[in-house]
Amino acid sequence: MKTRYLLLFLFSLVLSASGLAGLPPIDRDEARFVQSTKQMVETGDYVDIRLQETTRYKKPIGIYWLQSAAVQLSGQGAEAPIFVYRLVSALGVALAVVAVAWAGTGLFGGTAGLAAGLVMAAVFATAFEGRVAKTDAVLLACAVLAQGALAQIYLAARRNEPSQPRLAWLFWVAQGLGILVKGPITPLLSGLTILSLLLFERDGRWLARLKPVRGLALAALIVLPWLVLITWKSGGAFWQEAVGKDLIGKVAQGEESHGAPPGFYVLTYSLFMWPFGLIAVGAGLQALNRLRDDFRVRFCVAWYLPFWLLFELIPTKLPHYVLPAYPALALLVGWLLTLPAQEAEAPLKKWQVWLRWLTAFGLAVVTLGLAGVSIGAPIYLDGRFMPVSIVAAAAALAAGWFGFSRSLAVPPRRIAAAAISAGVAYAVLFGAIAPALKPMWLSPRIAEAVRQTRPCGDSVLASSVYHEPSLVFLLGTETVLTGLAGTARHLLADPACAMALVPVADEERLQDLLMREGKTATRLGVVEGINYSSGDFLDLALYDISRPQGGDEK
């Protein structure tokens, strides 16, 4: 049993390894998280959260502490490269995969647990989140640990068996850590699961096994010390921003251009559950038809359905918001494997058959899309064909083929083949193709141009128009994000060392501002490409006022 968990843990780490170092910092969320962590290490202040001079109170402290620990353990301090920060997410996904297998083993047996772990390790959602340094991978681990403990307590109660005391403590520790990582999401998931079971069964006596009084005290002991400190240090601003603006704002209306109508997670499901979306839908539909017959299945449905429905109703939507619900589908895939073929193939209702066909269409679209992107992106963005793209496309097509099954009863070897094929596709796509798409990685190219042309070892850059946080992470906290007039003031304030990044189209206006003080800017190089965060094509030039005219470098 322990060997199985170790193999799943290592399999997940291998699936997340490619791209950890090769992918530049991704704007905007990841870059904001890592820059705020970097500033913690620079200042030694592990209570407050800041992005340059601005407070960043949208999320609690947990992920910053974990990333800071990784940075300190690396021995490189604030100069640690991006992959050090991302290791936290890779480990978070690996822990979540093992926790899914543990929960599945407790509910449905070892084979089901192994299959559920393979599914969770290889879906696109965890493949992506395991490679970016933000909250969601660690949140997933906390959520699955809490839900896995809750499931086994519930299972023991329904069987009139004693439950292990440590499960209650694990549940509450996971709740506390989940709150420190991303606020109320873990308690919300467990609360909705419990409420759904209560409404269906009208029996809540098993909840006493959670030791709620002592458990709440334990969770409070984990969370309250930092909350008290940040409340004191921020003067209450943390609560105003985290709850008043971020949480309530997302519930009340679409925030940060991420508003979407209900149905958004239906449309993104086929991508984020790829290549197992069709298999998981088949398992979920069979589970719905057996709600009254199997309380283990009932728990998984109560885990997934209410959480998904709630987030469909909330105006602000991003695909990863429903990630904590996906493990329930992985568990149901494992459950379906345990059924005799005749039961697994039980007829579906007419609307369920149509839903399966729509999901099959979604699987085909995503599979062909990933294969097409693997080959087409380098040609479109960089004007060249990458031979390794054939490997990624072939692996994506193979994963889609293994994930496509007209039969509801899917053998374990098909799940393993889909997981391995998807892993190969991710390895090439994230590890080789994406990092090579030079036009979309503006910040690393700007940072390299600055290092090659800076007049002083400690030159500070002021950037007009291009304000992505990845630029700050790569060039340093002192980097100035300003307007055109601000870049001129920056150059004049330190004529020997200062540098500016300005759109080529604004060069004449920059020269006019400098001429008022008798200065002229020298163009040191040009960087052009696509700002994928905004979709804009940018033609940017580096300037200083310390030397004669230089040449352009594209």
Side-chain angles (χ1 to χ4, degrees), residues 274-276 279 363 367-368 370-371 390-405 413-425:
W274 184 86
F276 294 107
I279 295 172
L363 171 63
T367 300
L368 294 174
L370 289 173
I390 298 296
V391 178
L397 291 172
W401 170 256
F402 289 122
F404 182 88
S405 175
R413 63 180 180 276
R414 195 176 185 101
I415 290 174
I420 293 170
S421 301
V424 174

Side-chain angles (χ1 to χ4, degrees), residues 360-381:
F361 175 75
L363 171 63
V365 169
V366 173
T367 300
L368 294 174
L370 289 173
V373 166
S374 298
I375 295 174
I379 298 172
Y380 176 75
L381 290 174

Side-chain angles (χ1 to χ4, degrees), residues 183-205:
I185 301 302
T186 306
L188 176 65
L189 177 65
S190 296
L192 287 172
T193 304
I194 291 170
L195 179 61
S196 301
L197 292 171
L198 290 176
L199 290 174
F200 192 91
E201 299 174 346
R202 308 290 181 178
D203 181 7
R205 289 172 295 177

